[in-house]
Amino acid sequence: MLRIYNTVTRQKEDFIPLEPGRVRMYVCGMTVYDYCHVGHARVLVVFDVVQRWLRASGWQLTYVRNITDIDDKIIRRAVENGESIRALTERFIRAMHEDADALGVERPDHEPRATDFVPQMVSLIGRLETNGYAYRAADGDVNFAVRRFRGYGRLSGKSLDDLRAGERVAVADAKEDPLDFVLWKASKAEEPEEVKWASPFGAGRPGWHIECSAMSTALLGQTLDIHGGGADLQFPHHENEIAQSEGATGCQFVRYWMHNGFVRVDDEKMSKSLGNFFTIREVLKKFDAEVVRLFILRAHYRSPLNYSDAHLEDARASLLRLYNALNEGFDGDASAANIDWAHGHAVRFRDAMDDDFNTPEALAVLFDLATELNRGGDPAVEARLRALAGVLGLLAKDVGEARRSGLLGADAAQGGGVSDAQIDALIAARGAAKKAKNFAEADRIRAELLAQGIVLEDSAAGTVWRRA
């Protein structure tokens, strides 16, 4: 049985969805005003694997991952650039999709944009006002009264008595309490017209937190089975989602909360505010996207992930080990639908994934299969390896191409000292030397290539090469 670590209870629990056989999952997506960085890549890949495993396990899943296309940072960036909000967000939505596609991240079933759900947000705020949780402030904003919601802080483990106004809690004179948060922001004269919506509370725009409550409940219903996101969203964003959602509906908002750990650089969280982030695009200039995916999955999703080129290089070498075990001419059936889940390796893989999506242990199964395949070359073992890897979104490339590239990005591969054309020319020269029985020259060419990280493999069908 699948067990999930539930952030709100701080323990693993048997996964029992609200409706038998059906899963409703919502994940907080990107705020689209810049390129995605490796921290975003982790969220994308982690919950892509979660949704892949749920589907592979037979659940009927509806997966929603939102796009925040209106907030203070977006407005500020658009004004700085002298462009419309729409032009800015469309550009970075396209970039996000390009990055996610490169990483093998499957599209969610629904990808709502905040600007398309403003009427639902206005309705939700109206219900909160009717239920006594929201109030109109003197500055025109509508705020949520945190102290009126019993149980605030249970997700993050923070009590109201301990909470103080700080860097994560905006303080405004018009608030009744510094802990209150904004649901609706009154328009300011200097703001672009495209961020001003009509509402019963006056012209304005939604606050950030209300977006996810409105989009998730509109698409999935009042109670979600799984709500996920990065650990940095636990407080205040997810805490506020619980308060406003349950304050409006009176129903439990989420049954299982999942949060992936931070990506760290030199023991500090990777973030734009610290200036220590690497965009996905920058990393993909050095390493193949599947290498980045493996790098992310080698750590348990709840653990910190330490970023460095050295760790990525190690992931590259590990992934190449898997590809080197495969047969370029394999023509068997490696579809996930044909996995025999009663087989020993598949049982281990399933048990690992059912244990709170333990991808490090699931990956260990793949490497055990690769070792077995190297020993015997059994096509059934290869089919099993390819199928289980496919569940994690790995080993999706052409084997020959992967081996020849060494799974490096284009810049790094061409920077390896010798191009593909040069390699092919040297192999041809080596073949000519062998034909002329000049074995010393043939050995010299092999050694020259090996010194540059190029491994030659001879067979009756000819010579193939790969990057070490």
Side-chain angles (χ1 to χ4, degrees):
M1 174 177 241
L2 174 62
R3 289 174 60 79
I4 296 177
Y5 182 89
N6 192 346
T7 308
V8 76
T9 62
R10 292 160 182 77
Q11 63 183 5
K12 291 181 188 177
E13 300 177 356
D14 291 344
F15 178 62
I16 304 173
L18 184 67
E19 182 181 339
R22 183 184 176 193
V23 180
R24 301 167 174 88
M25 182 170 80
Y26 182 90
V27 173
C28 288
M30 306 301 115
T31 300
V32 285
Y33 69 101
D34 205 343
Y35 292 110
C36 294
H37 57 62
V38 177
H40 298 135
R42 190 177 198 192
V43 176
L44 290 167
V45 170
V46 161
F47 288 101
D48 178 59
V49 168
V50 170
Q51 68 89 15
R52 284 171 181 260
W53 182 244
L54 290 170
R55 296 186 201 276
S57 300
W59 298 98
Q60 180 186 343
L61 172 69
T62 303
Y63 175 27
V64 179
R65 189 187 68 226
N66 78 294
I67 294 173
T68 294
D69 60 347
I70 180 65
D71 88 331
D72 292 343
K73 293 186 288 291
I74 291 172
I75 296 171
R76 186 162 52 248
R77 181 65 59 86
V79 170
E80 290 171 354
N81 292 353
E83 64 181 325
S84 69
I85 304 292
R86 184 77 173 184
L88 176 78
T89 57
E90 286 290 346
R91 184 167 73 255
F92 286 115
I93 288 170
R94 286 194 300 272
M96 176 194 70
H97 284 152
E98 291 167 0
D99 291 342
D101 291 347
L103 291 168
V105 174
E106 296 176 339
R107 299 288 175 94
D109 298 301
H110 302 280
E111 195 173 49
R113 302 184 184 191
T115 53
D116 291 334
F117 282 76
V118 174
Q120 290 88 340
M121 298 176 205
V122 170
S123 175
L124 194 60
I125 295 168
R127 292 169 69 181
L128 286 170
E129 187 176 39
T130 298
N131 292 349
Y133 291 106
Y135 63 91
R136 305 186 192 196
D139 60 1
D141 290 352
V142 181
N143 298 322
F144 186 94
V146 167
R147 294 186 185 274
R148 299 180 196 173
F149 181 75
R150 182 175 297 178
Y152 188 88
R154 65 177 181 267
L155 175 66
S156 57
K158 300 177 184 292
S159 70
L160 289 177
D161 291 336
D162 293 337
L163 283 170
R164 294 291 183 267
E167 61 180 0
R168 297 306 303 269
V169 182
V171 178
D173 291 339
K175 290 182 178 179
E176 293 178 356
D177 189 294
L179 298 180
D180 295 348
F181 59 90
V182 65
L183 299 167
W184 186 260
K185 294 187 174 187
S187 294
K188 296 179 175 58
E190 67 272 16
E191 291 179 336
E193 288 302 312
E194 62 181 319
V195 300
K196 298 176 182 178
W197 282 268
S199 83
F201 325 112
R205 58 187 169 90
W208 175 40
H209 308 298
I210 197 67
E211 294 178 3
C212 287
S213 289
M215 288 185 279
S216 63
T217 55
L219 292 169
L220 296 172
Q222 294 181 338
T223 299
L224 319 181
D225 294 303
I226 299 173
H227 192 321
D232 57 326
L233 299 181
Q234 188 173 331
F235 181 84
H237 184 54
H238 289 164
E239 196 74 72
N240 291 349
E241 277 191 64
I242 293 172
Q244 63 200 10
S245 300
E246 296 186 1
T249 69
C251 301
Q252 180 184 10
F253 177 43
V254 174
R255 294 170 66 84
Y256 301 85
W257 282 95
M258 293 180 63
H259 294 91
N260 65 270
F262 293 122
V263 177
R264 307 186 72 82
V265 180
D266 296 328
D267 292 325
E268 285 192 305
K269 174 195 167 190
M270 179 183 289
S271 71
K272 290 179 180 177
S273 61
L274 293 174
N276 65 346
F277 69 96
F278 300 88
T279 67
I280 296 172
R281 294 174 174 227
E282 289 172 329
V283 176
L284 295 187
K285 290 179 180 178
K286 296 181 179 181
F287 299 94
D288 186 272
E290 215 173 86
V291 171
V292 178
R293 190 177 179 97
L294 178 65
F295 162 69
I296 291 170
L297 297 180
R298 291 206 308 180
H300 190 275
Y301 79 88
R302 287 190 283 114
S303 302
L305 180 64
N306 295 311
Y307 175 88
S308 73
D309 279 1
H311 290 315
L312 280 163
E313 177 61 33
D314 188 57
R316 181 199 69 82
S318 295
L319 187 57
L320 197 55
R321 279 178 52 203
L322 294 179
Y323 272 107
N324 285 340
L326 302 179
N327 180 358
E328 289 191 40
F330 178 79
D331 61 357
D333 188 349
S335 65
N338 288 326
I339 296 173
D340 177 6
W341 291 108
H343 186 275
H345 285 99
V347 169
R348 278 182 56 206
F349 185 95
R350 183 192 61 212
D351 289 348
M353 293 300 291
D354 276 349
D355 183 18
D356 193 32
F357 309 98
N358 189 344
T359 55
E361 180 58 33
L363 287 169
V365 174
L366 302 188
F367 285 99
D368 286 349
L369 281 167
T371 298
E372 184 175 329
L373 183 59
N374 283 328
R375 283 198 301 261
D378 184 349
V381 174
E382 180 163 356
R384 195 168 298 119
L385 170 57
R386 287 173 177 261
L388 291 175
V391 174
L392 299 179
L394 297 172
L395 301 187
K397 294 182 172 296
D398 175 80
V399 175
E401 178 185 332
R403 296 170 71 184
R404 287 188 294 275
S405 71
L407 298 177
L408 297 176
D411 289 353
Q414 294 304 320
V418 58
S419 69
D420 291 3
Q422 289 172 319
I423 294 168
D424 290 338
L426 285 168
I427 289 175
R430 176 174 175 264
K434 290 172 68 176
K435 190 173 183 179
K437 299 189 183 303
N438 188 350
F439 298 113
E441 174 63 8
D443 289 344
R444 185 197 66 76
I445 293 173
R446 175 189 282 274
E448 177 186 339
L449 287 169
L450 185 60
Q452 298 191 67
I454 307 303
V455 178
L456 302 185
E457 296 178 351
D458 296 321
S459 70
T463 301
V464 297
W465 62 270
R466 60 180 172 84
R467 296 184 188 271

